[in-house]
Amino acid sequence: MRRDQGGGRRVPYRGALTHTTAPELATQILDTPADTHIQAQPSADIWSLGASLFWCWTGQRPVTYDDDLDRLEKLAVIALGATTALRDVRPWPFHQFEDAITACLAPTPPTGPPRRS
């Protein structure tokens, strides 16, 4: 947990930018009370990196949902684990970069811990 600005009580981590929240973190956020700390794992950081790269390169979020949904509704869509096919939205072919992004967004990264328990 992190401390609040005044150095007082600890503020629970409940995810960061919604668009780059890993599916397993989205599930945990939805399944726990708002005052429960969520511990991000390396696999969630890997997914978030891939989501950030996807978004920066394509100009689109890796998970499609309506902008007018509230945060919890967006997290529910993310928790499903389905992403937009990168080949459908890439600005140009760049196979090595696509492979890196796709590996980050895989349900089970090939060199990391399982994405779901």
Side-chain angles (χ1 to χ4, degrees), residues 13 15-27 29 40-56 60-65 74-85 100-116:
Y13 177 75
L17 185 61
T18 301
H19 308 316
T20 61
T21 300
E24 65 268 29
L25 280 180
T27 298
I29 292 167
Q41 299 299 317
S43 61
D45 290 338
I46 292 167
W47 197 95
S48 294
L49 171 63
S52 297
L53 293 172
F54 185 108
W55 192 11
C56 289
Q60 299 184 40
R61 299 178 298 259
V63 177
T64 302
Y65 46 76
K74 290 174 183 175
L75 290 172
V77 175
I78 292 169
L80 297 173
T83 58
T84 300
I101 294 171
T102 300
C104 289
L105 297 176
T108 304
T111 59
R115 296 213 29 85
R116 294 188 183 256

Side-chain angles (χ1 to χ4, degrees), residues 33-103:
D35 62 349
T36 301
H37 176 73
I38 304 289
Q39 181 63 51
Q41 299 299 317
S43 61
D45 290 338
I46 292 167
W47 197 95
S48 294
L49 171 63
S52 297
L53 293 172
F54 185 108
W55 192 11
C56 289
W57 190 41
T58 68
Q60 299 184 40
R61 299 178 298 259
V63 177
T64 302
Y65 46 76
D66 292 330
D67 289 332
D68 62 344
L69 296 178
D70 69 27
R71 182 169 191 258
L72 293 179
E73 291 170 319
K74 290 174 183 175
L75 290 172
V77 175
I78 292 169
L80 297 173
T83 58
T84 300
L86 184 55
R87 70 183 170 280
D88 294 342
V89 294
R90 68 183 181 201
W92 63 84
F94 185 176
H95 301 295
Q96 296 88 346
F97 192 48
E98 293 171 48
D99 290 347
I101 294 171
T102 300

